RNA sequence: GGGGUGGUGGUGUAGCCAGGUUAACAUAUCAGGCUGUCAACCUGAAGAUCGAGGGUUCAAAUCCCUUCCAUCCCGCCA
């Protein structure tokens, strides 16, 4: 029994006079008493079906009872619409299907919310009835985009000689990084598996095994708090290669990005992508993931520490930005001051350029050459406002970074489009105040820059890493590094991180593997959900995941997580406290 | 763990700041009408203990406290 001879959305003038069978959902019914129109929707789109009592009294009568989301099968004839009834807004708008027979395949309850393209109910409802939410074309399109990205990715890497190899989902827990999701072992009571935060160790082991080009579209798990762009389970494009250096990764990924955007979005991303050093990025943008869609770069004003203004004398770092297009009103300055205070800064110094010179409550405490120098530093002209934060380096960077983004948005400076960059030469490790120890800024398998690696012992925070992040529009969408492949160096790094004893045990298998001729290798991992989210111009990662979790990590559709039976627990030897 | 926003018929919102008739509007639903609609239209009907609990008050959707849920952010995310 045939359900369809054609797809609804694909019918065109060329199909006129064909006798066809269609199936799908009733998207909309317009009942004129005499004539009844329904918009019939399937995976391909929508077509209008007309019920006319003159051509089929029986199906016309049946069509009266149709409601939204009923599933029906229709036999009929494609015909041209009357000229005045052509609908230019839909692809099938020049034709319609005159129904001769209507079969109701499955009625539907009244949906809990209207399934309309441009209206969205509360997110919790959307997720509870995700199958209804996903009936909207906008939702479908995002998952179709995701499919295309995955297919194109596989083809691209296959053509480059990469092998797709799966790695385990049940692995051992290691202390580094994010919190693990744990899975109790039944066979060995009291022991636990962890779900992988990334396939990092396995892909390095694959390199030791001699697979010189590996990739995987890997599901990863991190038990941390959620955000608009963070889910507890997410998908990573994981890549690793042997006998390569940074340049190989840069050009591979640049070609990949170019192909992906060109083939799927028809957008030509210029390559090579610009590279900005980590230090430079912090100086110019206050962050290691700069949004390059607009300028408004941060300038250093260290010379002000010589001035008579006390806060400038005591602050370790003085930097500022120039904004054009602000009103410069007292109220506005107060708001901006409040804004940077919420970001941790003590306050905001501001200067307005009026009549060629700077005016400010602070102006009377500064000498004329100092004011001139501030203005020159920004090439500021009448109407510009210069905003300065003086504080500890980290605070200044963060406050100005946030201020820059906020003003960029407020002043409408952020251009449409996709601005990629590489952030390179980050520090190998950072000092953690909380833990009173050095922590790897990427991960402990990252190779130090050869020129720098002797100073690991002298000043660890000054050692640069052979690591790189890929940044798109102010979002980190990927990161990787050239790895350590020699056991001694890896042990040295573990030593510097003061996790030697622990690490020896946790990563013994890796160190052992490195003892058997590990090739030089490196790689990268891209957050695919995030990349797709940006390609789709979606505001949340949830929009590009078929069945995402809420912010508290629940699934309203299935009510996960849920309690388990005492029998299940006792089998695992687990007791809930 | 902390901060912001929101929770009112099925859905989306208004009302809340400044307490006081029958909680308003749109849409969906139901019934009737209608032969060219495509956000169909016209007429009518039904539908809400205002997230939950407590308090203040003669009187609470409105003020106060607690709590839950959603969402955004900080912390966290090698």
């Amino acid at each position: 029994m045939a359900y369809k001879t054609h797809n609804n959305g694909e019918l065109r003038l060329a199909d006129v006079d064909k006798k066809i069978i269609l199936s799908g959902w009733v998207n909309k019914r317009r009942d004129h008493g005499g004539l009844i129109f329904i918009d019939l929707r399937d995976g391909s789109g929508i077509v209008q079906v007309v019920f006319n009592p003159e051509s089929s009294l029986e199906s016309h009568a049946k069509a009266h009872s149709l409601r939204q989301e009923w599933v029906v099968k229709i036999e009929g004839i494609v015909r041209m619409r009357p000229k005045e009834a052509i609908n230019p807004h839909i692809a099938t708008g020049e034709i319609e299907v005159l129904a001769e027979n209507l079969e109701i395949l499955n009625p539907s309850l009244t949906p809990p919310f209207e399934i309309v393209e441009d209206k969205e109910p509360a997110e919790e409802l959307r997720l509870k009835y995700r199958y209804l939410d996903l009936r909207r074309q906008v939702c479908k399109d995002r998952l179709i985009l995701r499919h295309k990205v995955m297919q194109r990715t596989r083809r691209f890497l296959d053509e480059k000689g990469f092998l797709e190899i799966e790695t385990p989902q049940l692995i051992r827990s290691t202390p580094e990084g994010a919190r693990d999701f744990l899975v109790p072992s039944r066979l060995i009571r009291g022991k636990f598996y962890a779900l992988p935060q990334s396939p990092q160790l396995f892909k390095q082991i694959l390199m030791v095994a001699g697979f010189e080009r590996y990739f995987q579209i890997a599901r990863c798990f991190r038990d941390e708090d959620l955000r608009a762009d963070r889910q507890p389970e997410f998908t990573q494009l994981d890549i690793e290669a042997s006998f390569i250096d940074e340049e190989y990764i840069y050009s591979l990924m640049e070609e990949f990005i170019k192909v992906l955007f060109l083939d799927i979005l028809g957008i030509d991303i210029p390559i090579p992508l610009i590279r900005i050093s980590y230090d430079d990025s912090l100086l110019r943008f206050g962050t290691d993931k700069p949004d390059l869609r607009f300028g408004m770069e941060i300038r250093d004003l260290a010379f002000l520490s010589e001035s008579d203004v006390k806060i400038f004398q005591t602050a370790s770092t003085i930097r500022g930005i120039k904004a054009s297009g602000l009103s410069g009103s007292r109220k506005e300055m107060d708001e901006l001051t409040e804004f940077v205070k919420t970001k941790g800064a003590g306050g905001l110094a501001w200067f307005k350029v009026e009549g060629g010179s700077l005016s400010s409550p602070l102006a009377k405490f500064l000498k004329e050459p100092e004011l001139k120098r501030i203005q020159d530093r920004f090439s500021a002209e009448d109407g510009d406002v210069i905003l300065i934060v003086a504080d500890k380096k980290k605070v200044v960077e963060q406050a100005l970074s946030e201020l820059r983004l906020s003003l960029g948005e407020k002043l409408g400076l952020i251009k449409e489009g996709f601005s990629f960059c590489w952030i390179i030469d980050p520090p190998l490790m950072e000092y953690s105040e909380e833990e009173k120890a050095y922590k790897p800024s990427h991960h402990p398998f990252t190779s130090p820059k050869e020129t720098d690696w002797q100073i690991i012992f002298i000043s660890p925070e000054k050692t640069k890493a052979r690591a790189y992040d890929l940044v798109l529009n102010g979002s980190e969408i990927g990161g990787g590094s050239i790895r350590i492949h020699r056991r001694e160096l890896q042990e040295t790094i573990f030593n510097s991180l003061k996790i030697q004893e622990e690490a020896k045990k946790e990563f013994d298998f890796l160190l052992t593997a490195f003892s058997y001729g590990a090739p030089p290798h490196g790689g990268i991992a891209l957050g695919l959900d995030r990349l797709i989210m940006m390609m789709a111009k979606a505001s949340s990662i949830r929009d590009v995941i078929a069945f995402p979790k809420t912010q508290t990590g629940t699934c309203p559709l299935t009510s996960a997580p849920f309690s388990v039976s005492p029998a299940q627990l006792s089998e695992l030897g687990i007791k809930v406290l």
Side-chain angles (χ1 to χ4, degrees):
Chain A
M1 182 177 59
Y3 284 113
K4 48 163 72 184
T5 57
H6 292 73
N7 288 321
N8 301 357
E10 291 161 7
L11 292 169
R12 293 292 183 276
L13 277 178
D15 299 302
V16 166
D17 291 335
K18 283 185 190 163
K19 194 169 159 55
I20 61 167
I21 305 175
L22 299 178
S23 289
W25 289 263
V26 175
N27 199 59
K28 195 81 196 176
R29 180 185 63 120
R30 291 178 294 279
D31 189 342
H32 288 231
L35 285 178
I36 299 171
F37 301 95
I38 65 166
D39 292 337
L40 189 67
R41 182 190 75 233
D42 69 4
S44 64
I46 283 176
V47 71
Q48 172 165 282
V49 177
V50 195
F51 295 89
N52 190 327
E54 287 162 17
S55 21
S56 171
L57 198 58
E58 195 202 334
S59 46
H60 176 266
K62 244 199 234 174
H64 263 296
S65 67
L66 290 181
R67 293 294 181 273
Q68 219 186 115
E69 301 310 318
W70 286 29
V71 183
V72 296
K73 175 178 144 184
I74 281 155
E75 289 172 56
I77 290 177
V78 182
R79 67 179 196 191
M80 213 183 290
R81 291 198 191 192
K83 207 176 215 164
E84 63 281 3
I86 287 173
N87 183 348
H89 303 296
I90 61 173
T92 58
E94 288 183 297
I95 53 99
E96 64 189 2
V97 176
L98 180 64
E100 292 175 335
N101 192 40
L102 164 66
E103 188 182 336
I104 294 168
L105 300 175
N106 203 357
S108 167
L109 293 175
T110 300
F113 52 86
E114 294 167 68
I115 302 170
V116 189
E117 283 302 318
D118 50 356
K119 274 195 217 160
E120 287 186 349
E123 186 126 11
E124 196 184 3
L125 251 200
R126 290 177 59 198
L127 295 184
K128 181 171 178 187
Y129 297 95
R130 188 63 163 166
Y131 43 89
L132 298 180
D133 190 38
L134 292 175
R135 284 182 187 175
R136 297 184 300 133
Q137 197 59 43
V138 271
C139 289
K140 287 208 176 85
D141 286 343
R142 296 188 186 118
L143 294 182
I144 291 168
L145 173 71
R146 187 180 178 109
H147 162 82
K148 285 181 182 166
V149 168
M150 294 210 171
Q151 297 311 312
R152 194 65 188 88
T153 299
R154 288 199 158 97
R155 198 178 114 206
F156 176 84
L157 289 168
D158 176 53
E159 285 167 358
K160 292 285 177 191
F162 282 77
L163 295 179
E164 183 170 7
I165 301 174
E166 290 165 284
T167 54
Q169 295 284 79
L170 296 173
I171 66 173
R172 65 166 295 165
S173 176
T174 53
E176 293 298 315
R179 194 176 294 112
D180 280 326
F181 279 102
L182 296 177
V183 179
S185 158
R186 177 184 56 84
L187 293 172
I188 304 173
R189 187 174 273 221
K191 305 276 188 188
F192 293 81
Y193 300 101
L195 301 178
Q197 295 178 27
S198 86
Q200 182 61 37
L201 294 167
F202 288 99
K203 70 175 176 180
Q204 291 192 245
I205 299 284
L206 284 170
M207 293 302 110
V208 180
F211 293 96
E212 294 183 28
R213 298 285 182 276
Y214 145 94
F215 85 98
Q216 181 178 194
I217 295 178
R219 190 59 63 86
C220 304
F221 305 86
R222 291 178 193 176
D223 189 6
E224 299 291 348
D225 286 3
L226 290 81
R227 287 284 190 286
D229 62 354
R230 254 160 54 186
Q231 284 272 304
E233 57 176 306
F234 61 100
T235 304
Q236 193 169 282
L237 170 58
D238 199 43
I239 292 174
E240 196 79 5
S242 292
F243 306 115
I244 53 103
D245 60 10
E246 293 88 330
E247 294 300 331
Y248 174 86
I249 299 290
Y250 295 154
S251 59
L252 178 77
M253 296 319 292
E254 285 167 358
E255 192 182 338
F256 171 66
I257 291 291
K258 187 162 190 95
V259 162
L260 204 60
F261 276 70
L262 200 56
D263 280 12
I264 295 174
L265 298 181
I267 292 173
D268 191 16
I269 304 292
I271 58 171
L273 305 177
I274 64 164
R275 299 175 195 177
I276 301 173
S277 79
Y278 176 92
D279 289 342
D280 225 25
S281 180
L282 282 176
L283 188 65
R284 291 165 57 195
F285 306 100
T287 171
D288 61 355
K289 40 181 183 176
D291 190 338
L292 302 181
R293 285 174 298 174
F294 67 110
M296 211 194 249
E297 292 191 16
I298 296 165
R299 298 266 191 272
D300 193 71
L301 300 161
F303 64 85
L304 284 175
S305 61
E306 314 274 307
S307 74
D308 294 333
V309 179
K310 193 150 191 199
I311 43 163
F312 290 159
Q313 291 168 351
T314 55
S316 65
T317 302
I318 308 165
R319 287 174 193 167
I321 53 176
K322 175 185 78 174
S324 309
L326 286 174
S327 75
S329 70
R330 186 66 208 220
K331 180 164 170 276
E332 189 175 54
M333 292 305 119
D334 286 347
E335 280 168 11
L336 295 178
T337 303
E338 206 40 55
F339 179 84
V340 298
K341 279 184 178 170
T342 66
K343 306 298 171 191
L348 183 71
W350 50 269
F351 296 84
K352 274 194 279 184
V353 189
E354 285 174 330
S357 61
L358 296 185
S359 73
S360 164
L362 279 180
K364 59 176 177 283
F365 302 109
L366 290 164
K367 295 180 196 74
E368 195 52 44
E370 287 167 340
L371 290 169
K372 184 83 175 63
R373 209 168 154 190
I374 295 173
Q375 192 181 343
D376 288 350
R377 193 80 186 78
F378 290 96
S379 310
E381 295 167 2
D382 274 13
D384 290 346
V385 178
I386 293 164
L387 303 160
I388 297 172
V389 177
D391 212 305
K392 286 192 290 241
K393 183 167 175 281
K394 269 215 155 111
V395 173
V396 172
E397 285 167 350
Q398 195 185 336
L400 285 177
S401 168
E402 303 265 4
L403 186 62
R404 175 178 173 269
L405 288 177
S406 164
L407 288 174
E409 191 154 343
K410 185 177 165 186
L411 299 171
L413 302 176
I414 302 178
K415 292 192 289 274
E416 279 285 304
F418 299 93
S419 287
F420 286 90
C421 68
W422 290 107
I423 300 297
I424 61 172
D425 300 340
L428 186 67
M429 42 187 92
E430 288 161 321
Y431 190 73
S432 163
E433 293 290 342
E434 289 165 37
E435 295 167 41
K436 304 280 175 225
Y438 285 98
K439 287 178 58 185
S441 57
H442 184 53
H443 59 50
F445 319 111
T446 301
S447 178
K449 291 199 100 174
E450 278 156 67
T451 48
D452 286 347
W453 90 297
Q454 298 304 332
I455 62 169
I456 291 175
F457 305 103
I458 307 153
S459 49
E461 72 280 355
K462 286 199 177 130
T463 312
K464 301 293 184 210
R466 295 181 67 183
Y468 31 80
D469 277 350
L470 184 59
V471 172
L472 167 57
N473 294 353
S475 255
E476 185 198 322
I477 56 162
S481 62
I482 301 302
R483 327 293 182 189
I484 295 164
H485 63 281
R486 304 218 0 218
R487 182 181 179 130
E488 313 84 74
L489 180 55
Q490 186 66 72
E491 280 181 302
T492 303
I493 297 291
F494 283 156
N495 283 342
S496 319
L497 292 169
K498 308 212 169 38
I499 53 168
Q500 187 190 22
E501 289 316 305
E502 220 180 311
K504 274 239 169 152
K505 274 183 276 162
E506 305 290 346
F507 299 121
D508 194 41
F509 63 97
L510 183 72
L511 293 175
T512 304
F514 283 175
S515 313
Y516 289 93
H521 62 283
I524 192 167
L526 295 193
L528 265 195
D529 313 271
R530 239 180 241 183
L531 178 63
I532 295 163
M533 164 185 162
M534 300 187 77
M535 291 176 81
K537 297 193 190 298
S539 53
S540 163
I541 197 174
R542 296 185 296 276
D543 289 337
V544 297
I545 295 174
F547 301 103
K549 305 277 189 291
T550 67
Q551 195 161 39
T552 46
T554 66
C555 171
L557 176 66
T558 60
S559 298
F562 206 69
S563 44
V564 296
S565 71
Q568 283 173 292
L569 285 179
S570 84
E571 197 169 38
L572 297 165
I574 285 182
K575 201 171 147 190
V576 178
L577 298 176

